[in-house]
Amino acid sequence: MLALATIGFAVNFWAWALLSPLAVKFQAALGLSSFQQALLVAVPVVVGSLGRIPVGALTDRFGGRIMFPLVSLATVVPVLFLGLFGHDSLAALLVGGFFLGIGGTAFAVGVPFVNAWFPPERRGLAVGIFGAGMGGTAISALTTVRLVNLGTTATPFVLTAVVLVGYATVAWLLLRDAPDRVVPSAPLAQRLGAALRLRVTWQAAALYAVAFGGYVAFSVYLPAYLKTAYGLTPADAANRMAGFVLLAVVMRPVGGWLADRFAASRVLAVALGVVIAGAVAQAFTPGLAPAGTVAFLAMAAALGAGSGATFALVAQLAPASQVGSVTGVVGAAGGLGGFVPPLVMGVIYGHFQSYALGLALLGVVALAALLLDVLSVGRHPAAARS
């Protein structure tokens, strides 16, 4: 069940990230400004983020067996629209990107689904392994530009649609919800309200907005950043972004495992400290080899581990019947955390022709998250256990 859920997460994230590797191509073809290019890659992120709130609550009620195939099939529609009809104008790209965000809601399906299959002492690692499905963005980074070059703009979109349909079929036939899964009986609005009243919801949301939000921001904006700041080709920039993503993916289950063994708050503190150091170093735009590469890879490892540790925290502190609802809110915060930075970076570069201020702001936000973790989350008995 864990493997099937992780594959489903990866496939939907692959679809969710299809526009990012092609942003430079669309900018050149349509004459987009820096802000319009940033908006193009950010729209699927914000929709996929906000959509996690109702999808997480619906998963609590109906289970992953129904929700995984449903989300996957719903994502097929915008994928085919973008590939076949919607890539010739900014307006069409934004409309298609809006509905492409459905793919990003798969995260809120998988966390409660996986959480129900494992005992509390193993949930950090299990949810971390599931979270490695965010590597679907690496599949997109590595294949999208190549497939366009080998075929047409429609090629990667059609291929992804076929894979989504195949996964939805397999999920419907093979996925099973945990037999002892707690099914809430309260109405959707009441369950969301109860989740919003939990302290852990807001603490984890703030931390995830920085950890996973930073990952998402770099995964969608890094190709544009590398092309502008270092003059890399689109293919080279996409390959380097894939390396960033893969390292973050590998470190996510590591972060969950460490949170099971030690304390989620301690893992988060170390991860956020590394992000602060990497952001400050990169604000000076050092040479890409080796200083810039080291800074970005260190941040990738830290953001991945921090994301895994955050959901280990949710698994430890959220009531079993509310994991989906809490996941939806926290996941939305993480996605929104990834929506804002590309827009900010685009605006900053448009005004100053430099990304330094944007990276410095990342360091400041990570510092604020570190203080929250140390002064608030780390004092909770369950979060601070050793």
Side-chain angles (χ1 to χ4, degrees):
M1 293 302 104
L2 175 58
L4 284 171
T6 304
I7 292 169
F9 182 27
V11 169
N12 279 277
F13 253 44
W14 174 10
W16 194 38
L18 280 171
L19 289 180
S20 176
L22 298 176
V24 174
K25 168 185 167 63
F26 291 137
Q27 181 187 36
L30 302 175
L32 306 181
S33 66
S34 296
F35 177 79
Q36 288 173 324
Q37 181 186 7
L39 182 64
L40 174 64
V41 298
V43 163
V45 173
V46 71
V47 176
S49 303
L50 294 175
R52 292 174 186 179
I53 297 175
V55 168
L58 288 170
T59 303
D60 275 342
R61 178 67 180 85
F62 297 106
R65 183 182 181 274
I66 290 177
M67 294 302 296
F68 256 126
L70 184 62
V71 167
S72 300
L73 290 176
T75 306
V76 171
V77 177
V79 167
L80 288 178
F81 170 78
L82 286 165
L84 300 177
F85 312 108
H87 55 262
D88 293 330
S89 70
L90 177 61
L93 284 168
L94 291 177
V95 170
F98 180 91
F99 290 100
L100 191 64
I102 295 171
T105 67
F107 177 74
V109 177
V111 170
F113 175 82
V114 170
N115 197 69
W117 276 104
F118 290 86
E121 65 273 13
R122 297 176 60 196
R123 286 174 183 166
L125 176 59
V127 174
I129 291 172
F130 166 76
M134 68 187 189
T137 55
I139 300 174
S140 178
L142 290 169
T143 63
T144 302
V145 174
R146 288 192 177 96
L147 288 170
V148 169
N149 292 337
L150 290 173
T152 67
T153 301
T155 304
F157 293 90
V158 173
L159 175 61
T160 306
V162 171
V163 175
L164 283 166
V165 171
Y167 175 74
T169 303
V170 171
W172 179 254
L173 294 174
L174 299 181
L175 273 186
R176 295 291 181 270
D177 291 302
D180 55 348
R181 181 175 76 90
V182 179
V183 180
S185 57
L188 175 63
Q190 184 176 331
R191 285 186 283 123
L192 286 175
L196 292 173
R197 289 191 293 272
L198 293 173
R199 185 179 181 187
V200 65
T201 302
W202 295 105
Q203 291 174 331
L207 293 168
Y208 202 59
V210 178
F212 185 71
Y215 161 79
V216 171
F218 279 123
S219 69
V220 300
Y221 198 69
L222 196 55
Y225 172 88
L226 292 173
K227 177 181 180 295
T228 304
Y230 293 101
L232 301 186
T233 64
D236 191 11
N239 288 338
R240 291 174 185 269
M241 185 268 273
F244 179 98
V245 168
L246 287 172
L247 181 56
V249 166
V250 169
M251 289 302 296
R252 182 156 182 159
V254 172
W257 175 74
L258 289 171
D260 282 341
R261 286 182 58 86
F262 303 104
S265 62
R266 294 176 187 174
V267 178
L268 279 162
V270 173
L272 291 167
V274 173
V275 172
I276 293 168
V280 171
Q282 193 57 36
F284 295 96
T285 318
L288 197 54
T293 300
V294 170
F296 274 118
L297 292 181
M299 285 193 288
L303 292 168
S307 297
T310 302
F311 268 94
L313 189 72
V314 170
Q316 292 166 4
L317 302 184
S321 63
Q322 293 178 276
V323 170
S325 299
V326 174
T327 295
V329 176
V330 175
L336 290 174
F339 171 75
V340 176
L343 298 180
V344 172
M345 294 287 272
V347 170
I348 287 175
Y349 188 83
H351 278 82
F352 301 105
Q353 301 301 299
S354 170
Y355 291 113
L357 179 58
L359 287 157
L361 287 173
L362 171 61
V364 171
V365 171
L367 176 60
L370 176 60
L371 293 175
L372 170 66
D373 177 56
V374 172
L375 299 177
S376 180
V377 177
R379 296 185 177 182
H380 193 288
R385 79 191 198 286
S386 58

